[in-house]
Amino acid sequence: MTTKTIPELRQYYERKFDKHCLSIEAPLEMVKPMLYSLKNGGKRLRPLMVLLVIDIFEQANLKDGLSTAFALEYIHTYSLIHDDLPAMDNDDLRRGQPTNHVQFDEATAILAGDALLTDAFALIAQEAKLKPRQRLKLIELLSRSAGSTGMVAGQLFDIRAENQTLTIEALKNIHRLKTGRLFSYACQAGAIISDASDKELKLIDEFAQAFGLAYQIHNDLQDVLLDSQSTGKEEHGDESLHKATYPSLLGVDGAKAALEAEIETMHQVIFRLTKETRKDFNRLIAFLEYLNIQVKEQKA
Amino acid sequence: MTTKTIPELRQYYERKFDKHCLSIEAPLEMVKPMLYSLKNGGKRLRPLMVLLVIDIFEQANLKDGLSTAFALEYIHTYSLIHDDLPAMDNDDLRRGQPTNHVQFDEATAILAGDALLTDAFALIAQEAKLKPRQRLKLIELLSRSAGSTGMVAGQLFDIRAENQTLTIEALKNIHRLKTGRLFSYACQAGAIISDASDKELKLIDEFAQAFGLAYQIHNDLQDVLLDSQSTGKEEHGDESLHKATYPSLLGVDGAKAALEAEIETMHQVIFRLTKETRKDFNRLIAFLEYLNIQVKEQKA
């Protein structure tokens, strides 16, 4: 087995995902709004996490993880379509393109999201390359990570927190649910496909939670430091909704310190993971580089 | 094993469902809008179909089907919440009560629907009373029946058909997808849990499709013949959206004839099912009575 870099994994993923998109069997009117958002050039962070963890464990083939990676991309994409709706964050632009409900209409956007969410589960259930036990574990965890105890609850709390004064702990809880749980799913899915132990799964969850917070703090900092052009979002999206952010609660320097603390946690968990598995989990740090998150000198 | 009537099955189901609802683990803010719609007094038609088919086959225990029945109720409930949204059918009342987005708000209604849809799959995935192979089949079929090749596509076609002239075949196609596929899932789920053969599953699908159309024609006829009070919907909902219905395309007498034709098909399929399985599939006809759909004299 050869180890792959994230750009190499991405190239592999994009090729397979393009092929997958051509194979979707639904009626054209239904497929069009689904593909519009699926192919709207995301960073493919979550699918790449599935694949990198598989590549690190060296127990399964990358292709064993593709259906799960696609399913995760479906779920992430549906969540963006619904989050952008007028009744939610009311965003007209996503990655510099019109959002789904602007390009089509609200009803279509709601339904395209519903279809992506629903279809995700058949992708995993029918994956003959995975053992039935693995498929069931992947489905149950995906449902729990994305549903009423996970991402959707995070989105509800996020909406309800508009114009509210939040503590940093309340903000962390929103991000843990809203973005952290899917990152954690991505990493754990790669581990489940690699037949990892429960102890390994738990460590991987810890890593992903720290990564998720780092990702969010970095995003918040970028929103403060960059203008709308380079983020591809509408200007000051969070601010116009009066949403709490790390910099608004901790100041820019406080947010930077919080980011470094999460990165430090990532390193500590990676150390324990490497010890536990005797596999090169240091490779996970490459995701920080992939996202242009400034990496401090690694401690010896 | 004792055979149960539909009212007896309903009593059993409601008791178990109430208990299930108390066990939902999500945060209270999330559970409240979910339970509001789950407990809004539906007829429980789909879950009862799962249970009656299990009762007819006499191969599995009723309790083996409960998780699947709950999952189906989740999916049906989410679809009603989203269908009622302002961007969709814009209904203020559902079964005589304020719709979810009226009782709470649009964002909450979208998210409560998303949560119900997502959570449904974990209910089946974690059901230890079913074999892994059965769980995977139930999950895959639920995803396909409810997603981009099933119910959601039907809802998209339905929305797009507003103010359009439809052929009766186009109308049938909408109903087959929008309501027929979940009825079919309900009956097939009971059969999968009973380890039915593929041939039996196919016949059960045929029955459910005819039942689904009969159900829809009956609903359309009721909307014409009854006033808003007794249906619990807003007056002339379909008409105000300029939606095609069986009576609008075929006239009241033509719609009644179409209803009788579907009931005749149901009888024919039941005859073949009874012959194939040597089980009393005539019991399925009780659903017509349950819905107060007038049953013609059965042919000898």
Side-chain angles (χ1 to χ4, degrees), chain A residues 24-27 29-31 33-34 75 78 82-83 85 87-88 104-108 110-115 117-126 131-133 135-136 139-140 142-144 146-149 152-153 155-157 159-160 177, chain B residues 24-27 29-31 33-34 75 78 82-83 85 87-88 104-108 110-115 117-126 131-133 135-136 139-140 142-144 146-149 152-153 155-157 159-160 177:
Chain A
I24 301 177
E25 278 173 17
E29 279 171 275
M30 183 79 254
V31 173
M34 292 165 69
I75 298 270
Y78 118 75
H82 282 192
D83 283 8
L85 286 168
M88 308 269 259
F104 300 94
D105 54 54
E106 264 187 77
T108 302
I110 294 168
L111 293 169
D114 291 344
L117 167 52
T118 313
D119 288 3
F121 293 95
L123 289 178
I124 302 175
Q126 75 192 23
K131 287 165 264 192
R133 184 182 51 70
R135 283 181 256 172
L136 286 172
I139 288 166
E140 185 179 343
L142 182 56
S143 170
R144 291 187 184 283
S148 69
T149 53
V152 175
Q155 176 64 5
L156 184 70
F157 291 153
I159 297 267
R160 297 258 168 110
L177 291 167
Chain B
I24 301 176
E25 278 172 18
E29 278 172 276
M30 184 78 254
V31 172
M34 293 166 69
I75 298 271
Y78 117 75
H82 282 192
D83 283 8
L85 287 167
M88 308 270 256
F104 301 94
D105 55 54
E106 265 186 74
T108 302
I110 294 167
L111 293 170
D114 290 344
L117 167 52
T118 314
D119 289 4
F121 293 95
L123 289 179
I124 303 176
Q126 75 192 25
K131 287 165 266 194
R133 182 182 53 71
R135 284 181 255 171
L136 287 172
I139 288 164
E140 185 180 344
L142 182 57
S143 170
R144 291 188 183 284
S148 70
T149 54
V152 176
Q155 175 65 4
L156 184 69
F157 291 154
I159 297 267
R160 299 259 167 109
L177 291 167

Side-chain angles (χ1 to χ4, degrees), chain B residues 56 203 267-283:
Chain B
I56 291 173
L203 284 169
H267 281 295
Q268 284 169 11
V269 181
I270 281 175
F271 178 79
R272 286 153 65 201
L273 261 172
T274 305
K275 208 175 142 194
E276 179 72 24
T277 59
R278 304 196 167 272
K279 301 286 181 187
D280 186 11
F281 271 89
N282 282 301
R283 293 173 63 201

Side-chain angles (χ1 to χ4, degrees), chain A residues 8-157:
Chain A
E8 283 167 349
L9 289 173
R10 177 158 189 182
Q11 207 176 18
Y12 171 75
Y13 176 78
E14 295 286 0
R15 200 170 65 239
K16 298 292 186 182
F17 189 61
D18 282 349
K19 209 174 145 192
H20 165 76
C21 286
L22 291 172
S23 75
I24 301 177
E25 278 173 17
L28 187 65
E29 279 171 275
M30 183 79 254
V31 173
K32 254 176 91 171
M34 292 165 69
L35 285 183
Y36 176 79
S37 292
L38 281 176
K39 305 201 87 168
N40 183 14
K43 293 183 292 291
R44 313 301 187 196
L45 193 50
R46 293 157 193 80
L48 291 176
M49 288 178 137
V50 179
L51 297 181
L52 185 62
V53 170
I54 291 175
D55 206 49
I56 292 172
F57 268 108
E58 298 181 295
Q59 293 292 321
N61 294 312
L62 285 181
K63 66 175 189 291
D64 302 345
L66 284 172
S67 305
T68 306
F70 299 158
L72 191 47
E73 191 72 5
Y74 275 35
I75 298 270
H76 175 58
T77 302
Y78 118 75
S79 77
L80 299 182
I81 296 174
H82 282 192
D83 283 8
D84 287 337
L85 286 168
M88 308 269 259
D89 289 351
N90 194 21
D91 276 318
D92 291 340
L93 287 176
R94 163 74 59 186
R95 297 170 191 148
Q97 301 291 321
T99 45
N100 201 291
H101 66 273
V102 170
Q103 180 71 19
F104 300 94
D105 54 54
E106 264 187 77
T108 302
I110 294 168
L111 293 169
D114 291 344
L116 287 166
L117 167 52
T118 313
D119 288 3
F121 293 95
L123 289 178
I124 302 175
Q126 75 192 23
E127 180 49 87
K129 286 193 275 295
L130 300 173
K131 287 165 264 192
R133 184 182 51 70
Q134 289 175 317
R135 283 181 256 172
L136 286 172
K137 199 164 177 178
L138 289 166
I139 288 166
E140 185 179 343
L141 189 62
L142 182 56
S143 170
R144 291 187 184 283
S145 304
S148 69
T149 53
M151 182 181 71
V152 175
Q155 176 64 5
L156 184 70
F157 291 153

Side-chain angles (χ1 to χ4, degrees), chain B residues 253-297:
Chain B
D253 287 344
K256 282 182 177 171
L259 173 57
E260 296 203 343
E262 296 302 340
I263 293 175
E264 176 57 30
T265 301
M266 286 166 61
H267 281 295
Q268 284 169 11
V269 181
I270 281 175
F271 178 79
R272 286 153 65 201
L273 261 172
T274 305
K275 208 175 142 194
E276 179 72 24
T277 59
R278 304 196 167 272
K279 301 286 181 187
D280 186 11
F281 271 89
N282 282 301
R283 293 173 63 201
L284 285 174
I285 286 295
F287 278 113
L288 295 178
E289 191 190 338
Y290 184 64
L291 297 171
N292 295 313
I293 299 178
Q294 198 193 325
V295 190
K296 260 179 61 174
E297 289 284 297

